[in-house]
Amino acid sequence: MSAMNPLSQVFRYNLHDLLTSSIKEGLICHRLKNFSSLYASQCKQPPAASALTHNERFSGISPLLRTNSRFSASPAKLAFPTLFLLALTSRPAAEIDNTGNLIMASSDEEGEILPEHVTGYYFVDDKENLVSFDILPLLWTEGEVLDGPKTQVFVFGDAENGLQKVYKSVDAWKLELSYVKPVVLVLSKGRKWITLQKPRKSYENTVRTILITIHWLHLIKKNPEASRQFVWNHLRQAFSFYDTEPCENDLLQHMLLINQTVKRDEDLMKSMYVVTFLEKPSTGQPSHEGIQKMMKTGFIVCEDEDDVVNSDGEEVVLKSIFDTVCSICDNGGTVLCCEGSCLRSFHPTKADGSDSLCQSLGFLDHVQVDALPSFLCKNCLYKQHQCYACGKLGSSNTSEGQEVFSCSSATCGHFYHPECVARLLHIGNENEALKLQATIAAGKSFTCPMHKCYICKRSEDAAVHGLQMAICRRCPKAYHRKCLPKMITSEFTTDKNLLQRAWDGLLPENRILINCMDHKIDRVLGTPSRDHLKFPDLEGKEKQDKLEVPSCKGKVTDSIQSMSSEHFAANRPPMKKAKLFQKFGSNIEAYNETTNEKCSRQDFDILKKPIGETGKNYLEKNFSSDIERQFKTDKSKFLPTKGNTKLNLGSAMGTLGEVSSRSSKIRNTVQTMPMVKPLVTLDMEKGLMKNSASSFNVEEFKKRRQIPVTYACNPCKMLDKTITLGRVEASVRAVQAALEKLEAGGSIEDAKTICGPEVLKQIAMWKEKLQVSLAPFLHGMRYASFGRHFTKLEKLKEIVDRLCWYVQNGDTIVDFSCGSNDFSCLMKEKLENMGKFCSFKNYDLFRPKNDFNFEQRDWMSINLNELPDGSQVIMGLNPPFGFKASLANMFINKALQFRPKLIVLIVPEETRRIDKKAPYDLVWEDDRILLGKSFYLPGSVDVDDKQLEQWNLKSPPLYLWSRRDWAARHKAIAQEHNHIYNAQERMEHNDNEVRFNHLMEGHTDGYDDFFKDMQECIALPYIFDGVPKVDNNFESGEVRALIPPREHRGGSFPGHCSSSRENDNMALWETDSMCMDMEISTP
Amino acid sequence: MEYGAFEEKVRRTVYIDNLSPNVTEAVLRTAIDQFGTVKSIQFIPNYLGPNNLPQCALVEMKEDKEAKAVISVMTQFPFMMSGMPRPVRARAAEMEMFDDRPKKPGKEMQLRWLNPNDPDFQVANKLKYLVQNHTAESAVMLKKQLIEEEELSKKQGEALKANYKKYEMLDGVIGDETALQLARHYRKK
């Protein structure tokens, strides 16, 4: 180190410059890559270097190795001056100055260079325990005196794109909220600040709450106006990779930090939300729910599998019950699920699996992945699966020559040779094994040894911590947590002989992922060697990594070529000039005769126009360049003088737009004319495509199409690729197998191994999701709208008649989702007749025909100060319902912020009651008023071109809610006008309803016709091929349940009307929660 | 003034394209009518192309304000009409879209024959080639678009079918009470 030549010294700084600045800006990444490959080819040292870094990553990290962090800098000494030049020339000078100085200043006497950023970081104390960085003192201002930290804390991590390892003792930390992203810096012993970038995966849970707090503060600082809901929606997205959702509870641990930050920050002081939060941090609804949530995830299995829309209307998307760990590298992250019966997931791209050096499926990027409608791994494609016991491939084709059979457990997906699995299930009992082998080979269902503990042979009970399973990723061996051998440890130790073999939190249902002692852990990979996967069709070493990589590109270019050559051929016969002229003359005659006079007159008028006057606006650059090119090629053939050409060109270009806009008319003549030359060549076509592609910016387009918040959580989008065919099949088979087992006298425990209650729940959930996503296709044909449903005018009149008694002179009536805006007009008319004068506010996303007091706004974006005081406000009426009334809840929550004295609502029954979340009393509710055809689909017509009407399977009641301090007054009014009807009436009414529904059945003919006609006028039959009509009730976005016809004509669901199936669904949900209860109560 | 009235009409009119071939006037009218009063609808016929091409139409509103509203709504949100899984596009109409537009005042048009040695003959020729070229180009692009659309719709159809298959399976197991029975068994315990 000491004898360093000056040039290399300089170079070293520049190397670091380059690296750090590229990391910092993320701009020069590609350059960095080139650079390092060049680097590698020239100095031949790096392989060793990278090996070391990997070693460090996976072997228990010893401080000894770490202190050698100079290592990564040292190869730079070997670098050549050419490299130095490269580094110098490729960067702006100012930057060199900047970072150069910085780095020089930071290098200590030994020439060690301190990183500015550290990624994949984690902190440990002097006892090697993981600690959160917030145990360090927090520095507010530079140069603050520290009262020496109680414990020594070290930061570990990678710097400079993994080229350097960081191992530093740190003293303090600070927080920067003013940038685009919150920045956390820690102060190293050398008094230098290091920016923390991404925590190491295993460290994420340790810093979860503090990171949430920091992001929370940052988000509010940037949006002081933001509502609580907004903040948490964003945080939920930002922290979606955690198992547990962020909630206000997480903040409670860091109240001190929040308090201090708020005190020092004006922006935060301004935020209403922060102020209220600091006043009452623990009483808020979300935090309350947060606690519940935490409890649930703590004690109840897979409660969190539930796709609940919680009462705040926010959707909670949670982990699946299926294994979401990459089969290649045994790490989580972004994975692609195989559609087939193997139920596996893989990292699609190398980037996704970079944490675990995963070879991945080898897709280049996510565009490629998204382009696939579904992914099928080679095994499932060729129906050749590996036996999980012996590892050999065998045919899993059920129709012929099946060699391997899949375990019948719904979530397992492993295949076995009957012989292998029988031997494992009956160790040392040859006879039993043979018997079992025969039954399995005959196609009987079996559960593989993975579902019983290897030690105690008892099954899993996911609700009991000790009985949760630890499952080996390489062989069918599983242990209970309590039975897990000591050698298989998830502890992070420095003992080199004891490598980490267990990882908690990766697998669903609280299972532990292990690599049992039969497999040797590769120190570099951190897992056993990754040759465990065999795909059919490939030989030798390539077996494990070569998977299907789709070639989407080839097709497209092919089609271009074939098309253009067709075109080429069609236009081919080139005519001689003279001939053409002759033809042209005769053609004009024909033209005049055939087309109408007006048109031709106009066309010729254009010819005479001065250069490019009218046409200019139409001209697009891409066109003109094409024309120019075309003209140039033409020139030699047709044009005698050059000067003339230019003039002609100009005029031609000027008129081009107009001419082409009427090309359909002109085509008449074109087609009768002989083709002069190949008009569109391959080159030109490519140019055309390129131009059209370049003028279209996908990002820009998406940005313009930003969907308002109320539509953002459209459940249709939730229909992701995780509902794979394989999973559905496996679950369905498991349900059948489990029932069979029970009926054959098997124990409940066995049945549950095959198909746990969570699978039943999953099935119900899937069904619901699929129903939602399929609905638009089945109701689509005559449906033109944004899925809105308006209340019919006569119903509105009834409501107005009732509501007008509660309105006082001077009130403001707000319709937060006014639709056609009829309500406020009716209301105004009625009230003016009664001598009351009120103001009105109407909001909606779409401008209605009648824009009386209308404002085109998203209700969620209305600020508190835009409306008068709540005691003068009456709000209503018919919000979009959304999936499980989620949108309705959102609208109501927003409305409650204004504290209106009266809220009138048409919402489905499952909407959360207002009195549960705010001091409001129900004045009355009426579930009769909206029975029958009370709604219509705006903008949609039926076969007779009449407005499409609609009624709900369960009519939404009309509610009148009153703020508690007004409730007595409103109830008196209700009494006076007989708006409340008593319980007995309700009973009678229920009877009526039954009869009413009965009557309805007689009327369904109209709807059947509707469906029939719908099918008749389907012009894109292939979309609907083989898809019989589903007339189940559905909820799509804010589309509410259409009543299904009771009788199905040729439908595929014989004998089951939707309402009963609805009940089935309910029953499944209920059962599930009930057996959950049972499980908790039994120790 | 006839021309003034026409200009007025153009301002009030919305040009709508990418309409499914199944859209009828009534469907279109009802769909647009929710944003304003539709005065008239004129489909722009396509005599030469295949009949599965997307249609386009000129929709005249009562006021130009309404026309603007229609355009803003349709560009802001994907608007589906008649179930075709492609959103309808809307933009302001332009004069040249009307084939029955009146003559612009103060503009005289003259027809005359051109001799091959007339310098204007070259201009006319040039234009003719251009038009041919553009027709060919647009034909290529249209073909390409149709191919892409068909691919997309095939993909969507496949996805739909796949989903439907899953749905049927799930429905089977829920519908024939297997799942329910199993649930009951679990509850019994």
Side-chain angles (χ1 to χ4, degrees), chain B residues 27-69:
Chain B
V27 171
L28 188 58
R29 183 183 289 271
T30 335
I32 309 282
D33 204 55
Q34 52 180 324
F35 310 113
T37 316
V38 175
K39 258 181 97 179
S40 72
I41 287 178
Q42 185 193 351
F43 279 91
I44 299 177
N46 174 9
Y47 295 116
L48 295 165
N51 57 5
N52 64 344
L53 285 184
Q55 299 188 88
C56 40
L58 292 164
V59 180
E60 186 190 352
M61 308 299 289
K62 213 170 130 212
E63 283 167 65
D64 53 354
K65 201 177 70 188
E66 290 177 342
K68 281 199 189 91

Side-chain angles (χ1 to χ4, degrees), chain A residues 339 371 560 563 566-567 580-581 584 588-589 601-602 604-605 607 618 623 627 630-631 639 648 651-652 655-656 658-659 662 664 666-667 670 673 676 679-680 684-685 688-689 692 705 708 719 723-725 728-729 732 735 738-739 742-743 748 751-752 755 760 763 766-767 770-771 774 777 780-781 783-786 788 846-849 851 938-939 941 945 1019 1022-1023 1025 1028 1030 1032 1052-1053 1056 1061 1064 1067-1068 1071 1074 1078, chain B residues 22 24 26-27 30-31 33-37 48 65-66 69 72-85 94 96 99-101 103 107-113 119 121-141 143-144 147-148 150 153-157 160-171 173-187 189:
Chain A
E339 189 75 16
I560 294 174
M563 242 170 55
E566 260 173 50
H567 216 91
L580 179 90
F581 286 168
F584 183 62
I588 282 187
E589 273 171 22
R601 204 174 58 210
Q602 274 176 4
F604 279 90
D605 177 48
L607 300 188
Y618 299 105
F623 262 165
I627 297 149
Q630 179 63 17
F631 268 88
L639 292 173
N648 290 343
S651 70
T655 47
L656 145 77
E658 239 170 297
V659 175
R662 262 174 292 127
S664 65
I666 293 167
R667 209 191 297 183
V670 172
M673 258 193 243
V676 188
L679 284 166
V680 180
M684 284 170 64
E685 194 180 299
L688 267 176
M689 286 305 281
S692 62
R705 298 264 168 160
L719 190 74
I723 310 181
T724 68
L725 190 62
V728 173
E729 262 170 7
V732 167
V735 170
L739 192 65
L742 278 177
E743 276 163 0
I748 293 271
K752 274 194 183 164
C755 170
L760 285 181
I763 286 179
W766 276 343
K767 195 191 150 196
L770 287 168
Q771 223 167 42
L774 287 171
F777 290 94
M781 284 324 289
Y783 183 69
S785 124
F786 291 110
R788 300 191 296 172
F846 310 106
R847 181 165 288 278
K849 203 193 257 185
D851 52 3
V941 286
D945 294 335
Y1022 45 87
I1023 285 200
D1025 272 354
V1030 174
N1032 231 320
S1052 66
F1053 317 117
H1056 268 276
R1061 245 172 309 144
D1064 292 354
L1068 283 183
T1071 330
M1074 280 197 66
M1078 300 288 287
Chain B
N22 303 322
T24 61
V27 171
T30 335
D33 204 55
Q34 52 180 324
F35 310 113
T37 316
L48 295 165
K65 201 177 70 188
E66 290 177 342
S72 87
V73 163
M74 287 205 180
T75 44
Q76 240 173 322
F77 308 96
F79 189 86
M80 301 289 179
M81 222 180 266
S82 280
M84 187 158 157
E94 282 157 21
E96 288 73 21
D99 53 3
D100 54 350
R101 66 188 149 156
K103 186 168 84 173
K107 206 163 115 184
E108 277 305 306
M109 277 178 279
Q110 233 178 21
L111 290 183
R112 67 186 167 110
W113 291 106
F121 187 85
Q122 297 297 345
V123 181
N125 250 349
K126 194 109 293 175
L127 274 172
K128 201 180 68 187
Y129 298 139
L130 250 184
V131 168
Q132 286 175 5
N133 228 344
H134 285 288
T135 320
E137 276 176 9
S138 66
V140 168
M141 292 307 268
K143 212 165 163 188
K144 194 152 281 181
I147 287 171
E148 249 169 50
E150 198 172 315
S153 109
K154 216 161 94 194
K155 220 159 95 184
Q156 284 172 341
L160 183 67
K161 257 189 256 169
N163 279 339
Y164 189 74
K165 196 172 157 200
K166 293 173 197 169
Y167 176 80
E168 230 179 1
M169 272 200 292
L170 292 173
D171 195 72
V173 78
I174 291 174
D176 69 2
E177 304 228 327
T178 320
L180 206 61
Q181 275 177 26
L182 190 64
R184 273 193 217 115
H185 276 294
Y186 286 166
R187 199 159 19 167
K189 180 206 157 194

Side-chain angles (χ1 to χ4, degrees), chain A residues 615-671:
Chain A
K616 248 175 198 159
N617 335 349
Y618 299 105
L619 262 189
E620 275 175 24
K621 271 183 201 155
N622 49 357
F623 262 165
S624 66
S625 69
D626 265 338
I627 297 149
E628 253 164 328
R629 196 157 10 117
Q630 179 63 17
F631 268 88
K632 267 176 205 150
T633 51
D634 281 354
K635 216 188 293 174
S636 54
K637 271 191 183 170
F638 296 108
L639 292 173
T641 56
K642 217 181 176 185
N644 211 3
T645 319
K646 269 187 188 159
L647 189 79
N648 290 343
L649 191 74
S651 70
M653 269 158 50
T655 47
L656 145 77
E658 239 170 297
V659 175
S660 68
S661 78
R662 262 174 292 127
S663 61
S664 65
K665 265 180 252 157
I666 293 167
R667 209 191 297 183
N668 255 332
T669 49
V670 172
Q671 295 209 334

Side-chain angles (χ1 to χ4, degrees), chain A residues 883-1045:
Chain A
F883 185 61
K884 286 186 187 286
S886 59
L887 290 176
N889 280 324
M890 267 170 88
F891 269 73
I892 293 168
N893 286 346
K894 177 75 185 176
L896 287 175
Q897 290 179 3
F898 298 95
R899 297 177 27 85
K901 64 172 176 182
L902 206 57
I903 301 180
V904 55
L905 290 172
I906 301 175
V907 286
E909 268 180 274
E910 65 256 36
T911 319
R912 219 176 121 88
R913 284 176 70 95
I914 296 185
D915 51 359
K916 295 247 171 72
K917 48 191 172 187
Y920 277 80
D921 282 333
L922 184 65
V923 182
W924 43 258
E925 71 172 282
D926 187 345
D927 43 7
R928 280 181 302 183
I929 187 167
L930 296 165
L931 280 175
K933 291 182 179 178
S934 306
F935 302 97
Y936 65 94
L937 309 172
S940 305
V941 286
D942 62 11
V943 258
D944 306 321
D945 294 335
K946 297 268 165 48
Q947 184 80 49
L948 198 58
E949 289 173 327
Q950 185 247 346
W951 72 73
N952 288 356
L953 182 62
K954 259 191 190 166
S955 73
L958 175 72
Y959 295 94
L960 190 72
W961 292 92
S962 175
R963 207 169 79 191
R964 208 149 275 166
D965 46 337
W966 286 80
R969 241 173 297 180
H970 289 142
K971 276 183 180 154
I973 298 172
Q975 207 78 48
E976 190 186 327
H977 297 281
N978 225 357
H979 290 159
I980 305 173
Y981 56 104
N982 56 34
Q984 206 190 340
E985 243 178 297
R986 269 190 84 98
M987 291 285 285
E988 277 171 28
H989 145 66
N990 279 345
D991 282 354
N992 283 340
E993 194 179 35
V994 174
R995 251 174 279 137
F996 186 64
N997 276 342
H998 211 69
L999 279 174
M1000 279 293 164
E1001 283 174 51
H1003 284 289
T1004 47
D1005 281 358
Y1007 260 86
D1008 270 355
D1009 283 343
F1010 166 61
F1011 281 105
K1012 211 176 79 200
D1013 274 293
M1014 224 174 67
Q1015 287 215 319
E1016 274 166 13
C1017 61
I1018 287 169
L1020 293 165
Y1022 45 87
I1023 285 200
F1024 297 87
D1025 272 354
V1027 179
K1029 51 190 179 176
V1030 174
D1031 17 26
N1032 231 320
N1033 73 323
F1034 67 96
E1035 286 256 315
S1036 156
E1038 64 296 343
V1039 178
R1040 284 161 216 161
L1042 264 175
I1043 194 164

Side-chain angles (χ1 to χ4, degrees), chain A residues 156-226:
Chain A
F156 286 93
D158 294 336
E160 291 163 15
N161 228 8
L163 287 179
Q164 192 182 341
K165 289 281 147 189
V166 179
Y167 170 71
K168 278 273 150 210
S169 167
V170 285
D171 291 337
W173 68 291
K174 73 172 175 182
L175 189 56
E176 273 294 348
L177 295 175
S178 43
Y179 303 125
V180 189
K181 283 192 166 172
V183 178
V184 179
L185 301 113
V186 288
L187 187 64
S188 73
K189 269 280 187 289
R191 307 299 295 167
K192 280 292 147 217
W193 287 104
I194 304 171
T195 310
L196 300 183
Q197 283 174 326
K198 214 174 125 58
R200 180 191 161 106
K201 200 93 189 144
S202 60
Y203 183 61
E204 273 171 358
N205 273 332
T206 322
V207 278
R208 184 177 156 270
T209 57
I210 183 77
L211 288 183
I212 288 169
T213 312
I214 290 166
H215 276 87
W216 183 81
L217 286 168
H218 177 255
L219 200 62
I220 297 174
K221 184 181 162 68
K222 293 289 162 201
N223 314 285
E225 305 276 281

Side-chain angles (χ1 to χ4, degrees), chain A residues 110-148:
Chain A
E110 269 198 307
E112 187 183 26
I113 290 155
L114 266 177
E116 286 176 47
H117 307 270
V118 49
T119 180
Y121 66 83
Y122 58 100
F123 289 79
V124 294
D125 63 9
D126 45 6
K127 291 178 194 71
E128 297 270 332
N129 294 324
L130 287 181
V131 289
S132 167
F133 55 79
D134 66 316
I135 70 155
L136 292 167
L138 178 59
L139 278 193
W140 292 104
T141 47
E142 201 68 45
E144 217 173 301
V145 189
L146 297 169
D147 11 317

Side-chain angles (χ1 to χ4, degrees), chain A residues 136 348 361 367-368 420 423 594:
Chain A
L136 292 167
L361 294 175
V367 180
Q368 226 177 32
C420 299
R423 204 177 286 153
T594 51

